[in-house]
Amino acid sequence: MIRLENVSRTVPGRTLFEGVHWTIHPGDRYGLIGPNGSGKSSLLRILCGQLEPDSGRVHRRRGLRVAYLPQEVEAELPPDAPLIEAALAGAAELKEMARELAELEARIADASGPEQEALTRRYGERRALFEWYGGDAIEARARAVLGGLGFAPDDLGRPIRSFSGGWRMRALLARLLLAGADVLLLDEPTNHLDLEALAWLERHLSGTPAALVIVSHDRVFLDRVTDRTADLACGRLRIARGRFSEWARQREAERREAGRRLRRLREEAARLSRFAERFGAKASKASQARDRERKLARVREEIARIEVEKDAAVRLAWPEPPDGPDPLVELDGIGKRFGDRRVLEDVALVIRPGDRFAVLGPNGAGKTTLLRIVAGELPPDRGRRIAGRGLLAARFAQHQLEAMDPSRSALEWARESAPERSEEHVRAVLARLGLGPEQAARRIGSLSGGERARLGLARLMLRPAHLLLLDEPTNHLDLPLREALEASLAGWRGALLVVSHDRAFLERTTRETLAVENGRVVRLDGGWSRWLAWRAERRVSGGAEAPSAHPRSRAGRRARAEALARRSRELRPLRERAAALEREIEALERRKSELDGALADPATHRDGEAMRRLARERAEIDRKLAAAYASWEEAAAALEEAGG
């Protein structure tokens, strides 16, 4: 569908990539990875036609429909349009697709032989897309997609301008998911999604017949949605079959092999250098010495290339926490309101040395407020925060990055936090986070968002702490830095509270969860997957808390069993409706398969009238299937909303 031939792209001062060859076929599912600044977004824009390459050629199939999600969405949506209209704006392509399908049905009936086979194949591709994007029941599909991305039914009539930037990004994503595209190009689609919306998007994309190219730093998301990896690094694009985790294992094996080869090359370089020095002046050996010198130059070039790639592997280190109090912090009956909105209510929590919590909850539930109270930055309205004597706590917060003094240099701002550290030590920490001498000397106002995030982390890494409170620490970090950060924290001995949507990061750095919801904070054994299960259990039980603090107590088991029985009775009509629709869909799919077999039979091709009759019946089956699927989606959404 899209083919790149020897494509290159440069920006002032450097080449992003060159010599890129890449073919995207129907149904391909690529994860596009690489360090920040390697040119991933530029490559997506070349694929969709928004950007021309400096050299090389781009071939796109005639009539190809491409949907592109950029990272910046401010100018992409009409500000006064209601949400449902903005989401459906991309569905205009479906009308054209319906017209194309009707035309294909007529051509199939009149064609024969190889031409008919090709038309039938094309019809199947277009029909699968038409059904997936909602077909004749597109509005029902739009409501299901918007609900999956976290919008409430009351949001559908609200104008786009009334939503925050993160919710506008979700609205744009919904529009693209309804656009009837052959290819979806998504640049960081998981930004601003909470874990539940993220899980829904994974399920949705896993079933799409459209080809996918996704830029993401979310390793779990890539593993669940893609099955090929395109790695853009050092100006080259490498294509590999397999999910991200398979590619990561392959990359680690290549790094180990590169280390072994580097040692062998250095030994060879030393030997060649000795030969050239010893025999270069001898006439009888001059020719051999020149050959050795030429070979030495090639060996040194390869050594330099391997060293550049080897140096790309980031290694971070946190200062070990000194001896400190136990417990570190206690919260006793904490309550906090902002105006009339209750954010936290009667929160009791004890944090001890070595505790490692993921702090999870819906957007706006109060996770950041909890971290600020634990850090001592925000006083509670009720209750007490009791800090251990000599507690050293440090917090990383995204909004603090915007409050940095733009007139200061990065080096000055970092040194201010640790005046006892030498300038050489501070520069070394900055360099490990990708802030070399040039960035260290620049004013903070000229740094990108990603560079400011790394500067904020560097400032924390310069001071020892008993307790780290990290609010979305991986935003703006590329994969190598995320992996380095989680590796450094995994071996750190201090206590940790993390707010993050990066599930791989949480999996490696935390052991327990603080679930923040409806003003309450509940401590759970286990990580983000345990939190998702807990949320599902609460929906089934209607949100009621168990009467016992211990989930396996007799009273707790009885209360949960009674709640399950009650909810089962309430949900029975919805379940029966969904089951009836599933049976209808199954019967229609069986008949559709029978018709496809008849249409593919060469004997049918000789009877034009039979061919037209079968094509009309198949089109009718497709319309019924689209309506049945839309009704099933509504029933399933209602069942899910009711907790079933």
Side-chain angles (χ1 to χ4, degrees):
M1 294 193 291
I2 305 178
R3 187 170 77 254
L4 305 185
E5 292 182 356
N6 204 32
V7 162
S8 67
R9 179 70 183 174
T10 59
V11 294
R14 67 190 181 97
T15 298
L16 288 177
F17 47 81
E18 58 185 347
V20 170
H21 294 268
W22 192 8
T23 301
I24 299 169
H25 299 96
D28 281 351
R29 312 172 74 82
Y30 279 101
L32 177 57
I33 64 172
N36 285 346
S38 59
K40 300 185 296 297
S41 295
S42 296
L43 191 54
L44 282 190
R45 294 178 63 203
I46 287 173
L47 286 170
C48 74
Q50 286 192 5
L51 189 67
E52 290 298 320
D54 294 322
S55 63
R57 301 181 65 186
V58 182
H59 304 272
R60 297 181 191 87
R61 190 180 72 190
R62 181 174 297 180
L64 185 72
R65 296 179 176 90
V66 180
Y68 167 57
L69 177 74
Q71 289 194 42
E72 302 296 331
V73 304
E74 292 302 318
E76 297 288 335
L77 294 167
D80 296 318
L83 171 63
I84 186 69
E85 289 183 15
L88 285 168
E93 296 285 354
L94 282 178
K95 295 180 180 178
E96 173 62 23
M97 200 182 297
R99 187 200 61 75
E100 182 185 349
L101 286 170
E103 182 183 305
L104 283 169
E105 288 168 7
R107 292 176 63 191
I108 288 170
D110 295 333
S112 61
E115 180 190 2
Q116 190 177 66
E117 291 177 11
L119 288 171
T120 302
R121 234 179 0 257
R122 174 69 174 159
Y123 182 88
E125 285 180 21
R126 306 308 296 160
R127 172 57 64 178
L129 280 169
F130 186 71
E131 291 173 3
W132 174 256
Y133 286 114
D136 298 320
I138 183 61
E139 185 166 342
R141 185 70 161 178
R143 291 175 182 274
V145 167
L146 289 167
L149 290 173
F151 290 99
D154 292 344
D155 291 333
L156 302 185
R158 288 174 53 191
I160 290 296
R161 69 167 67 252
S162 69
F163 293 98
S164 67
W167 286 99
R168 285 198 293 271
M169 190 282 291
R170 295 192 194 201
L172 177 60
L173 179 57
R175 190 176 80 176
L176 296 181
L177 295 177
L178 296 163
D182 301 281
V183 185
L184 291 173
L185 307 175
L186 307 179
D187 197 348
E188 295 289 357
T190 64
N191 283 357
H192 309 291
L193 296 185
D194 58 29
L195 286 178
E196 290 183 301
L198 186 53
W200 178 89
L201 182 61
E202 287 172 349
R203 293 193 300 271
H204 185 85
L205 291 179
S206 295
T208 179
L212 299 174
V213 180
I214 299 175
V215 173
S216 179
H217 297 313
D218 188 321
R219 290 150 287 176
V220 176
F221 181 77
L222 290 174
D223 258 2
R224 293 185 173 182
V225 173
T226 68
D227 56 18
R228 287 174 169 81
T229 301
D231 182 22
L232 186 61
C234 300
R236 298 181 302 154
L237 184 73
R238 296 177 59 189
I239 304 294
R241 289 183 179 274
R243 302 177 188 276
F244 172 80
S245 55
E246 298 167 36
W247 168 248
R249 287 192 292 271
Q250 178 185 339
R251 182 183 59 182
E252 186 57 34
E254 288 176 352
R255 283 178 177 166
R256 289 194 296 269
E257 176 56 32
R260 290 190 289 268
R261 178 158 179 75
L262 190 60
R263 288 192 296 273
R264 292 194 297 269
L265 287 170
R266 284 171 174 161
E267 291 170 1
E268 184 177 1
R271 179 175 55 79
L272 291 169
S273 181
R274 286 194 300 270
F275 185 95
E277 290 172 1
R278 183 175 179 183
F279 297 110
K282 290 190 176 182
S284 61
K285 297 283 187 179
S287 177
Q288 293 181 43
R290 285 194 297 273
D291 287 342
R292 298 296 195 281
E293 286 174 350
R294 285 192 290 270
K295 187 174 182 181
L296 176 61
R298 291 195 297 272
V299 167
R300 283 175 172 164
E301 285 179 7
E302 187 168 2
I303 288 173
R305 179 184 62 78
I306 293 176
E307 284 179 333
V308 166
E309 294 180 357
K310 184 170 174 287
D311 288 344
V314 184
R315 290 174 179 81
L316 303 178
W318 292 85
E320 285 299 317
D323 292 337
D326 185 5
L328 300 173
V329 180
E330 293 183 68
L331 303 184
D332 181 17
I334 292 293
K336 186 66 183 178
R337 288 176 175 268
F338 293 105
D340 294 332
R341 190 168 77 90
R342 182 192 69 173
V343 179
L344 297 174
E345 185 71 27
D346 199 25
V347 174
L349 177 65
V350 178
I351 302 172
R352 308 178 71 95
D355 280 344
R356 306 179 78 80
F357 291 107
V359 183
L360 301 179
N363 287 350
K367 302 184 294 293
T368 296
T369 300
L370 177 64
L371 261 62
R372 292 181 65 196
I373 289 174
V374 170
E377 299 175 5
L378 182 68
D381 298 330
R382 291 195 303 104
R384 296 185 304 156
R385 170 191 179 268
I386 307 164
R389 186 183 298 274
L391 172 70
L392 300 175
R395 189 170 78 92
F396 175 89
Q398 290 292 324
H399 72 85
Q400 288 181 345
L401 306 183
E402 306 304 321
M404 294 177 177
D405 184 349
S407 66
R408 308 280 300 280
S409 75
L411 179 62
E412 290 171 347
W413 193 80
R415 288 199 70 188
E416 180 185 83
S417 67
E420 73 281 3
R421 299 287 192 182
S422 68
E423 182 174 324
E424 291 74 16
H425 179 83
V426 175
R427 286 185 179 276
V429 171
L430 291 172
R432 283 198 293 271
L433 284 157
L435 301 172
E438 179 188 347
Q439 289 92 344
R442 284 167 52 190
R443 301 297 176 193
I444 290 174
S446 69
L447 297 178
S448 68
E451 288 168 333
R452 290 191 186 195
R454 284 177 273 162
L455 179 58
L457 285 171
R459 185 159 160 146
L460 291 189
M461 296 180 72
L462 289 167
R463 296 175 295 175
H466 302 115
L467 173 63
L468 284 178
L469 306 154
L470 306 179
D471 197 346
E472 297 291 358
T474 61
N475 281 5
H476 304 295
L477 300 187
D478 57 21
L479 281 172
L481 262 178
R482 289 187 184 211
E483 291 172 344
L485 180 60
E486 70 187 29
S488 65
L489 288 171
W492 184 66
R493 294 188 296 107
L496 191 63
L497 270 70
V498 182
V499 175
S500 178
H501 295 141
D502 187 332
R503 292 160 294 177
F505 183 82
L506 292 175
E507 193 77 41
R508 192 169 180 187
T509 59
T510 64
R511 292 189 291 267
E512 297 180 85
T513 297
L514 298 177
V516 184
E517 188 170 344
N518 297 326
R520 303 289 182 178
V521 177
V522 180
R523 184 169 178 166
L524 304 172
D525 290 331
W528 61 268
S529 57
R530 172 69 186 97
W531 176 78
L532 285 175
W534 176 80
R535 291 268 294 171
E537 290 169 4
R538 281 176 57 79
R539 283 197 296 270
V540 169
S541 64
E545 297 289 349
S548 169
H550 197 292
R552 285 185 284 274
S553 68
R554 180 177 299 174
R557 289 197 303 271
R558 185 188 306 115
R560 188 168 183 275
E562 291 172 355
L564 285 170
R566 182 175 63 254
R567 295 297 291 159
S568 180
R569 290 192 297 272
E570 294 169 356
L571 297 173
R572 186 177 299 146
L574 289 173
R575 287 201 180 101
E576 289 175 352
R577 169 67 173 156
L581 287 165
E582 287 166 7
R583 289 192 295 273
E584 180 185 350
I585 288 168
E586 186 178 352
L588 289 169
E589 290 284 8
R590 276 199 306 270
R591 180 55 182 158
K592 178 179 172 181
S593 297
E594 293 169 1
L595 290 169
D596 286 341
L599 287 167
D601 187 347
T604 309
H605 301 170
R606 292 190 288 272
D607 186 342
E609 179 56 37
M611 192 71 190
R612 282 188 287 274
R613 177 174 51 77
L614 291 171
R616 284 195 298 271
E617 185 181 355
R618 193 189 188 286
E620 180 62 24
I621 289 287
D622 283 332
R623 280 190 285 274
K624 289 180 178 178
L625 270 172
Y629 272 118
S631 298
W632 180 85
E633 290 248 358
E634 286 183 334
L639 188 60
E640 183 175 354
E641 186 177 341

